[in-house]
Amino acid sequence: MADVVGTRMETPTARTIRLRIPGLHGHLAGQHVDIRLTAPDGYQAVRSYSIASGGGRGALEPQELPDDELELTVEELADGEVSPYLVRGLNDGDQLEVRGPVGGWFVWRNGDSTPVQLIAGGSGVVPLMSMARAHAAAGSSAPFRLLYSLRAPFSGYYRDELAALATDQAAPLQLDYVYTRQAPPGSEAKPGRLTAEGLMQRTLPASDSPTFFICGSTPFVEAVSGWLVDAGHDPARIRTERYGGIGGTP
């Protein structure tokens, strides 16, 4: 069982949850956990949620997290069985049944100096934020770039922290946003879906031989990974993860 030791709202529909898991000894950036809820009548529902913290860094407090703690960021789905409770009903001191951390392929490991391109669609930014935090915490020299596609500015996660990571002199994160429905006030760029041309303008070139980590809805991930292969990127360097929520094309 995991203890809930802190929460905060990231957006009107997304919440970051800090968990203390007895026996946990850290995790890899990009892993996930499974959470199981059990109703009074015995009905059970299990859902997987990406870990948002990485390399000892989380969102709720400036100091590093202990090895037995991690953070999740959960987006509420209107028809969800688990996410509405996690976002609206969970309180500090509650307990959750958790399995994990799980995963060993869609992860970034400290010590890897390969250039990395992160591409997020909506709430798909969560495991990529874990990687960005781990990269910063390690002071890694590996080039890191994040392309974050959002419907509107208010739907973005971790905005202030991402801005701070972009100015981190020790391990800077190159940050690019795409807004599909509403751009920030004063923005010269008009909102619109990501295109193959726009993707190439905002990502590391094939000549750099980057590793890609792409997370978002299935249509988003399939479109973006296809454009990258068409542009000459090595398919073996393209790692993808999909979420099951409502999502559209880039």
Side-chain angles (χ1 to χ4, degrees):
M1 298 295 287
D3 298 308
V4 178
V5 295
T7 65
R8 82 168 186 190
M9 297 301 292
E10 294 288 345
T11 72
T13 58
R15 190 185 198 188
T16 290
I17 303 164
R18 177 173 292 184
L19 300 176
R20 180 177 296 125
I21 305 175
L24 178 68
H25 298 288
H27 63 275
L28 298 175
Q31 289 185 308
H32 65 274
V33 298
D34 296 331
I35 293 180
R36 179 164 65 183
L37 299 183
T38 303
D41 63 0
Y43 175 77
Q44 295 182 329
V46 180
R47 297 291 184 272
S48 296
Y49 293 100
S50 296
I51 299 171
S53 51
R57 291 182 60 152
L60 300 186
E61 297 177 10
Q63 65 265 31
E64 292 188 357
L65 288 113
D67 285 345
D68 64 349
E69 294 185 7
L70 54 77
E71 291 178 357
L72 316 174
T73 300
V74 178
E75 177 75 26
E76 181 181 16
L77 300 179
D79 58 349
E81 293 185 313
V82 177
S83 63
Y85 171 72
L86 297 180
V87 175
R88 305 293 177 187
L90 197 65
N91 296 308
D92 288 6
D94 287 348
Q95 289 189 318
L96 291 172
E97 189 174 353
V98 174
R99 184 182 75 91
V102 180
W105 184 71
F106 193 83
V107 298
W108 180 79
R109 291 176 169 85
N110 181 23
D112 186 351
S113 60
T114 305
V116 169
Q117 176 68 61
L118 310 172
I119 303 177
S123 60
V125 75
V126 176
L128 309 187
M129 189 63 180
S130 176
M131 297 178 192
R133 285 170 170 155
H135 175 259
S140 172
S141 61
F144 251 59
R145 187 170 184 175
L146 169 63
L147 172 58
Y148 191 3
S149 177
L150 296 167
R151 292 181 178 181
F154 63 82
S155 63
Y157 299 179
Y158 322 121
R159 179 170 298 276
D160 291 343
E161 187 179 355
L162 283 171
L165 291 176
T167 60
D168 186 335
Q169 295 184 355
L173 173 71
Q174 188 172 350
L175 182 60
D176 302 273
Y177 284 100
V178 172
Y179 298 95
T180 61
R181 295 187 181 180
Q182 178 184 336
S187 174
E188 295 182 1
K190 294 182 179 180
R193 290 177 174 174
L194 184 64
T195 64
E197 181 181 3
L199 180 70
M200 295 306 111
Q201 293 172 348
R202 297 174 175 89
T203 53
L204 297 172
S207 58
D208 287 356
S209 298
T211 297
F212 287 85
F213 293 94
I214 310 168
C215 187
S217 66
T218 295
F220 179 90
V221 170
E222 290 181 349
V224 169
S225 57
W227 291 336
L228 292 172
V229 172
D230 291 344
H233 288 280
D234 182 356
R237 290 185 173 274
I238 301 174
R239 302 186 181 189
T240 63
E241 188 168 278
R242 298 161 171 82
Y243 58 73
I246 299 172
T249 59

